[in-house]
Amino acid sequence: MNQETIGIHYGYEKDNQKTMAVPIYQSTAYDFGSADFAASSFNLEQGTDNVYTRVGNPTTAVLERRFAEYEGGSAALAVASGMSAIFYSIINVADAGDNIISTSQLYGGTVTLFRHTLKRLGIEVRFFDKLNPESIDDLVDENTKAIFFESIANPSIDVPDFEKIAEIANRHKIITIVDNTVATPVLCKPFDFGIDVSIHSASKYATGQGLAIGGLIVERKNLVEKIKDNPRYPHFNTPEVSYHGLIFANPPVNGILFTFRVRMILLRDTGAVLSPFNSWLFIQGLETLSLRMAKHSSNALAIAKYLESHPKVKTVNYAFLESSKNYKRANKYLKAGSGLVSFEVDSFDEAKKVLDSVKIFSIVANIGDSKSTINHSASTTHQQLSADERSACGVKDGLIRLSVGIENEEDLINDLKKALA
Ligand code: PLP
């Protein structure tokens, strides 16, 4: 199946009612029918959909199957938010005393998680500049558990060298995790470039209408090759006491291990679960994702080109501009540029004037909506960062970030033209 078809049909078997729409199984629990079946469900013999909604739900399972197939992975796990997807994917492999390595160009919430909350848990994050992935080699030691980056960084719109990062990680047998939120599986297939795990904030492009908060973790096929008997990953290779000695990598249940462990250990114990209703909203959104991403990208490119020629604009960040330092990598790793464009005007005051003058763009911190939005990163999404941390993310005082929607391209350009006049 090609991705447009996957987004509409994959992973849904109609039940006796034959509903065309995927049903919402709005239920906490499931009738086991017999004591033996109940016991075998808790012993992981009956799959994970019909045990308890904290670890699985039939509506959410459709979303997970569909999303995994869309991205070309072996399995996906839906969770309550993009932040919980990132947090779970890190603590699935790292404990106190361990470290991970990350690009410094990141979404602001990820920066605070990495610099403050993980630190309190005893997990160190070592940063590298995406323009210099070779420096990763010097940061690796025997306690390094993951290498993390964003496929299109929010809001610097940088595109790292996936294959270089994967090559270094593979040499050290370390898992790579990419935040593929901005590109979505439509524009970027990270597993084709050797990346191991992909996470998403589904709160963005998945519904396209800013309807719900959610997250996904997707693992590549055959991830067991990297994890089995790898001394970096004892959680997968030693008996899990809370499952009577189960060894996740030996052999993996249904061939999946990374998302399976998040589900059976971290979701079980900490419970950042996605509601079935929100899963259903994401399923509706996936039906039109490929159409929307094409329009977001063509509108954004037209706007980036317009801004590049504007005398009041100092710089424009959009990876598919020929003048962009990311252009070569963008063409290699992405099908199109997605909807985020950032640009710099002279000062915070100038930026404020633009934000207060636009009529179609709304001042909103979220991205990925079909409606265009505008944001001043330094005073909102990246406000809680120090000046140095902001600068490492590429967030200057005059930086404005647009999340370009799917309205008419000329209307959007005219709106910005008037605001910049
Ligand atoms: N990753 C990126 C790139 C984001 O832009 C965001 C939110 O803006 C997140 C992760 C966090 O996602 P959520 O708001 O769903 O927790």
Side-chain angles (χ1 to χ4, degrees):
M1 264 189 217
N2 288 299
Q3 64 182 16
E4 296 88 338
T5 318
I6 292 167
I8 293 173
H9 294 288
Y10 194 85
Y12 172 47
E13 299 284 336
K14 295 186 188 76
D15 65 14
N16 287 342
Q17 306 305 325
K18 306 281 179 215
T19 57
M20 286 298 287
V22 175
I24 307 174
Y25 289 99
Q26 191 68 45
S27 181
T28 309
Y30 309 85
D31 184 354
F32 295 120
S34 76
D36 277 348
F37 193 86
S40 66
S41 296
F42 273 76
N43 204 25
L44 307 181
E45 289 163 32
Q46 307 295 344
T48 54
D49 292 357
N50 301 86
V51 182
Y52 188 59
T53 285
R54 184 168 1 100
V55 291
N57 170 276
T59 305
T60 301
V62 175
L63 170 68
E64 291 169 341
R65 286 195 288 272
R66 200 165 280 185
F67 207 90
E69 188 69 12
Y70 220 125
E71 196 149 71
S74 63
L77 172 72
V79 290
S81 66
M83 288 317 301
S84 51
I86 297 172
F87 182 59
Y88 281 162
S89 66
I90 302 296
I91 63 166
N92 202 28
V93 288
D95 292 336
D98 291 335
N99 66 75
I100 65 161
I101 297 172
S102 169
T103 40
S104 45
Q105 293 86 354
L106 296 167
Y107 161 64
T110 310
V111 176
T112 47
L113 169 68
F114 282 6
R115 289 195 186 268
H116 304 293
T117 302
L118 288 186
K119 193 173 176 185
R120 280 182 45 217
L121 298 179
I123 299 169
E124 183 196 352
V125 183
R126 302 173 174 180
F127 290 96
F128 72 99
D129 189 305
K130 69 107 193 46
L131 293 174
N132 183 17
E134 288 77 10
S135 62
I136 293 173
D137 260 330
D138 297 334
L139 300 174
V140 170
D141 66 20
E142 72 278 12
N143 296 323
T144 304
K145 303 296 169 146
I147 299 173
F148 185 95
F149 66 101
E150 292 180 1
S151 49
I152 302 179
N154 174 11
S156 64
I157 328 288
D158 285 315
V159 178
D161 188 342
F162 290 50
E163 285 179 347
K164 183 75 203 165
I165 294 171
E167 181 264 305
I168 297 170
N170 289 342
R171 204 164 0 97
H172 295 282
K173 293 193 89 181
I174 299 171
I175 287 173
T176 41
I177 304 173
V178 65
D179 180 339
N180 200 24
T181 298
V182 176
T184 80
V186 174
L187 304 181
C188 178
K189 307 271 189 225
F191 306 137
D192 290 353
F193 307 110
I195 303 305
D196 299 315
V197 174
S198 166
I199 74 89
H200 296 261
S201 166
S203 326
K204 317 298 178 204
Y205 290 102
T207 71
Q209 291 166 317
L211 297 178
I213 301 285
L216 284 136
I217 305 172
V218 191
E219 73 181 85
R220 75 161 163 90
K221 292 175 180 145
N222 299 322
L223 184 53
V224 65
E225 295 162 353
K226 198 175 211 175
I227 290 182
K228 189 166 162 37
D229 299 328
N230 182 342
R232 283 191 196 277
Y233 300 112
H235 298 324
F236 292 88
N237 289 299
T238 51
E240 171 59 48
V241 179
S242 69
Y243 276 112
H244 305 297
L246 171 80
I247 299 176
F248 281 96
N250 194 22
V253 179
N254 298 324
I256 25 177
L257 72 174
F258 191 90
T259 53
F260 189 68
R261 186 176 183 279
V262 176
R263 187 192 297 280
M264 300 322 296
I265 303 288
L266 302 177
L267 264 190
R268 178 195 66 182
D269 296 350
T270 66
V273 64
L274 188 64
S275 94
F277 182 71
N278 286 355
S279 298
W280 183 81
L281 291 172
F282 294 131
I283 289 167
Q284 307 317 303
L286 285 189
E287 294 196 355
T288 55
L289 185 64
S290 56
L291 291 176
R292 284 185 284 111
M293 293 316 294
K295 180 67 174 154
H296 281 293
S297 302
S298 64
N299 275 358
L301 180 59
I303 286 175
K305 284 182 177 164
Y306 165 73
L307 290 170
E308 205 174 26
S309 67
H310 199 289
K312 282 200 182 160
V313 173
K314 287 166 71 177
T315 50
V316 181
N317 302 310
Y318 193 68
F320 273 80
L321 281 177
E322 279 179 42
S323 57
S324 167
K325 58 186 187 305
N326 292 285
Y327 186 69
K328 246 173 95 180
R329 287 187 298 276
N331 275 282
K332 182 170 180 185
Y333 297 122
L334 308 173
K335 292 205 181 74
S338 190
L340 289 203
V341 178
S342 62
F343 65 101
E344 200 193 342
V345 291
D346 258 344
S347 61
F348 184 8
D349 282 346
E350 272 295 316
K352 261 195 340 205
K353 252 175 48 197
V354 176
L355 262 69
D356 288 335
S357 308
V358 282
K359 298 279 184 277
I360 298 175
F361 285 82
S362 305
I363 305 173
V364 169
N366 193 27
I367 60 170
D369 201 309
S370 298
K371 305 165 203 74
S372 290
T373 61
I374 188 166
N375 184 47
H376 179 248
S377 307
S379 62
T380 58
T381 49
H382 291 66
Q383 189 206 64
Q384 281 133 30
L385 275 54
S386 68
D388 282 352
E389 289 167 356
R390 270 205 295 277
S391 153
C393 290
V395 175
K396 303 215 170 102
D397 279 357
L399 190 81
I400 297 174
R401 187 198 64 196
L402 305 176
S403 171
V404 179
I406 59 174
E407 301 96 335
N408 178 276
E409 171 188 310
E410 269 177 45
D411 290 343
L412 295 176
I413 291 178
N414 283 334
D415 199 27
L416 290 168
K417 192 185 276 179
K418 284 184 199 146
L420 280 161

